[in-house]
């Protein structure tokens, strides 16, 4: 009737929690219901592109690297307190981002955060985390990437 296409997209950005068998089961279950996707895509198909976008955000001063412990970060976001790293230079952020993505232990405490609005009434806009290190091999990209 609408001549649209059904695109099934898997957000497979956390290799610690996703397995290929789960994705296959979903597609098989859809077929049992008579639903046949026209296209099946995966976020992992775009990891190189996403990495490039992360670098653009850093270079444009729209993201920064932070090593604040998770519980402290949660409290600071709730209290609308900016991270001590929020105003680092793009060059500093890029260096920490490369360390994060290298998989080295020194990169593990760091995460990439979007620089949005720490004063927002909407808590999800208070500089959310975009990337964290995860050394678990990805079921589609293996060990190519060390942060998602």
């Amino acid at each position: 009737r609408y001549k649209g296409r059904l695109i099934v997209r898997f957000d497979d950005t956390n290799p610690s929690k996703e397995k290929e068998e789960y994705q296959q089961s979903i597609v098989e279950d859809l077929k049992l219901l008579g639903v046949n996707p026209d296209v099946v895509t995966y976020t992992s198909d775009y990891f190189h592109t996403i990495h490039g976008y992360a670098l653009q955000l850093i270079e444009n001063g729209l993201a920064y690297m932070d090593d604040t412990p998770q519980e402290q970060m949660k409290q600071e976001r709730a209290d609308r307190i900016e991270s001590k790293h929020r105003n680092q230079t793009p060059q500093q952020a890029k260096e920490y981002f490369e360390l994060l993505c290298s998989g080295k232990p020194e990169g593990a405490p760091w995460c990439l955060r979007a620089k949005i609005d720490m004063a927002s009434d909407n808590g999800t806009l208070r500089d959310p985390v975009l990337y964290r290190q995860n050394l678990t091999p990805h079921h589609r990209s293996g060990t190519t990437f060390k942060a998602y």
Side-chain angles (χ1 to χ4, degrees):
R1 172 175 160 183
Y2 297 104
K3 299 185 178 159
R5 296 181 337 145
L6 174 61
I7 300 171
V8 173
R9 181 179 170 275
F10 291 104
D11 183 20
D12 58 341
T13 55
N14 186 348
S16 298
K17 295 186 177 181
E18 289 121 18
K19 293 185 180 176
E20 191 170 7
E21 66 187 84
Y22 300 148
Q23 295 166 356
Q24 290 172 347
S25 293
I26 291 170
V27 172
E28 290 170 12
D29 289 348
L30 288 171
K31 285 182 181 172
L32 286 173
L33 295 170
V35 177
N36 296 303
D38 296 298
V39 179
V40 176
T41 68
Y42 303 84
T43 300
S44 57
D45 293 338
Y46 305 97
F47 280 166
H48 286 287
T49 302
I50 294 167
H51 182 90
Y53 286 142
L55 287 171
Q56 282 182 7
L57 288 171
I58 290 168
E59 290 164 7
N60 292 324
L62 300 172
Y64 61 98
M65 295 298 295
D66 195 1
D67 67 347
T68 303
Q70 198 167 6
E71 284 304 312
Q72 180 182 341
M73 184 186 300
K74 181 179 177 183
Q75 189 61 50
E76 286 178 358
R77 287 181 75 199
D79 295 340
R80 303 175 189 208
I81 298 170
E82 291 184 1
S83 165
K84 64 183 177 186
H85 297 291
R86 192 173 201 269
N87 296 310
Q88 69 194 178
T89 67
Q91 184 57 38
Q92 289 171 317
K94 188 175 177 186
E95 289 172 16
Y96 288 124
F97 184 69
E98 294 304 332
L99 183 62
L100 168 80
C101 294
S102 74
K104 293 178 182 174
E106 301 85 8
W110 293 93
C111 66
L112 178 67
R113 293 180 66 181
K115 190 184 286 188
I116 301 180
D117 182 6
M118 287 300 290
S120 175
D121 288 336
N122 182 342
T124 60
L125 295 178
R126 296 185 200 137
D127 293 6
V129 172
L130 303 176
Y131 260 79
R132 286 193 190 278
Q133 191 178 87
N134 187 332
L135 302 180
T136 303
H138 191 276
H139 68 276
R140 298 190 75 231
S141 62
T143 58
T144 303
F145 297 93
K146 311 282 191 286
Y148 306 90

